[in-house]
Amino acid sequence: MSETVSKRLGENMRKIREEKNMTQGDICRALNLDRAHVSNIENGKQNPTLDTIEKIAKALKVSIKELVN
C-alpha cells in the first residue's frame, strides 16, 4: 500500500525540523498555529492547505518540493 501524501509530508516535516534542532513549539510560533494542529500535520492526520505548506517550508528554510517528496 502506498504512503499517503499527508503522511509523507508529516514525516518529512518532523525529520527536517529535528535535523534543524527545532521543537514543535518553534514551528508553532513561526506559523502562528497551535501545537495540536502542528502535531496532527506531522502525524499525517490533517491535510494542511497549500498556504500552510508554503509557510512550513519557509519556517524550515526548505523548498516545498523537499517537504513533500
Side-chain angles (χ1 to χ4, degrees):
M1 180 175 238
S2 66
E3 187 178 39
T4 65
V5 174
S6 58
K7 187 82 169 158
R8 189 167 59 243
L9 169 78
E11 289 171 356
N12 289 343
M13 180 179 168
R14 176 179 285 123
K15 181 179 71 108
I16 294 165
R17 176 178 60 75
E18 289 174 348
E19 286 172 357
K20 294 179 179 278
N21 295 315
M22 295 176 77
T23 65
Q24 276 190 349
D26 295 331
I27 294 295
C28 294
R29 285 184 289 281
L31 302 176
N32 198 29
L33 296 173
D34 63 49
R35 192 177 302 260
H37 188 76
V38 171
S39 178
N40 284 337
I41 293 171
E42 284 193 355
N43 289 309
K45 295 177 180 174
Q46 190 153 12
N47 291 320
T49 64
L50 289 173
D51 187 50
T52 300
I53 292 170
E54 183 177 43
K55 288 177 184 176
I56 292 168
K58 188 177 281 190
L60 292 173
K61 296 180 173 70
V62 296
S63 67
I64 292 172
K65 183 178 179 180
E66 189 175 348
L67 197 57
V68 297
N69 285 334

